[in-house]
Amino acid sequence: MPASTSSEDRRPRPVTADSGPDDFLRALYHFHSTALLQFAARRLEGDWHRAEDFLQEVAIRAWRHAEEIDPTTDAARPWLFTVLRNIVIDAHRARQARPPEVGDPELVHLPVSDEVDHVLTSLVLVEALRDLRPSQREILLHVHYLGRSVNQTAEVLGVPPGTVKSRTHYAARALREALHRRGLHRDGLDREAC
């Protein structure tokens, strides 16, 4: 049967440099990171990424003074906030001292090419193709996706070229209607849906 523990044994022991860097930093982040991040983000006009960078710098500086700081107590907060405030001020001064960047302001507003539009359009197209009859999907696959001519498609499918032309016309019309129902048309988004 274990011996009963006194209230002194249940209190968290101070975390120091002797406890190891992981314990020290874990305690620092656990007890102070939220308040420090909010403080930094306010000073940085909501730039949470820079606030996190500055919090890491505060943690490194605190570790350098681990012999003097107990991160599990509120007594460390004034020192931590002062260090953070000084880091923010130094960063602001460094930006002010640097000459302004020269560049074309119009380039800032150019859209960045990413694959999101392509993926979304592909998903809508696949969904619209499911609305078509199998024969319509097949004819569009041969003519538009595989790039076969009317005669080549007629030969592969074993139908007359006139049938290929007719099926292509009706399949394309059905696909246009399916895309239109999903808010797309020839120029992009349907203006009525916007």
Side-chain angles (χ1 to χ4, degrees):
M1 187 169 183
S4 64
T5 56
S6 68
S7 62
E8 288 180 17
D9 292 336
R10 283 183 261 151
R11 272 188 285 150
R13 291 195 167 92
V15 178
T16 63
D18 296 335
S19 304
D22 290 342
D23 293 335
F24 181 87
L25 293 173
R26 194 173 293 116
L28 180 82
Y29 274 84
H30 176 74
F31 287 98
H32 306 289
S33 66
T34 303
L36 291 169
L37 269 174
Q38 289 175 348
F39 177 82
R42 279 193 308 268
R43 296 288 185 265
L44 297 168
E45 298 174 353
D47 188 345
W48 285 92
H49 295 291
R50 285 184 60 213
E52 289 171 351
D53 291 344
F54 291 170
L55 176 61
Q56 289 177 3
E57 181 64 30
V58 169
I60 291 169
R61 292 185 188 186
W63 171 242
R64 290 181 188 151
H65 297 278
E67 297 297 329
E68 306 153 18
I69 298 171
D70 179 6
T72 62
T73 67
D74 286 338
R77 281 220 174 162
W79 186 87
L80 295 169
F81 276 100
T82 300
V83 169
L84 180 58
R85 182 179 154 273
N86 290 341
I87 291 171
V88 170
I89 290 171
D90 290 346
H92 178 72
R93 286 179 181 159
R95 282 185 171 217
Q96 295 300 317
R98 190 173 66 192
E101 295 178 9
V102 179
D104 188 358
E106 296 297 321
L107 292 178
V108 174
H109 301 292
L110 287 178
V112 177
S113 175
D114 63 6
E115 295 298 313
V116 173
D117 285 339
H118 179 71
V119 169
L120 292 175
T121 303
S122 297
L123 291 173
V124 171
L125 182 60
V126 167
E127 187 179 306
L129 283 168
R130 287 187 184 129
D131 288 356
L132 303 181
R133 292 191 316 260
S135 62
Q136 291 174 326
R137 283 194 300 267
E138 181 181 42
I139 202 76
L140 291 177
L141 171 77
H142 286 283
V143 173
H144 291 289
Y145 184 72
L146 298 175
R148 292 185 173 146
S149 69
V150 171
N151 289 335
Q152 290 170 331
T153 303
E155 187 177 319
V156 169
L157 297 179
V159 296
T163 303
V164 171
K165 288 180 185 179
S166 175
R167 286 183 186 173
T168 303
H169 170 76
Y170 288 112
R173 187 170 76 180
L175 182 59
R176 254 192 315 276
E177 291 171 2
L179 290 171
H180 189 74
R181 283 192 302 271
R182 286 167 175 77
L184 296 176
H185 66 89
R186 185 184 322 175
D187 298 326
L189 285 176
D190 189 357
R191 301 198 194 304
E192 295 171 6
C194 294

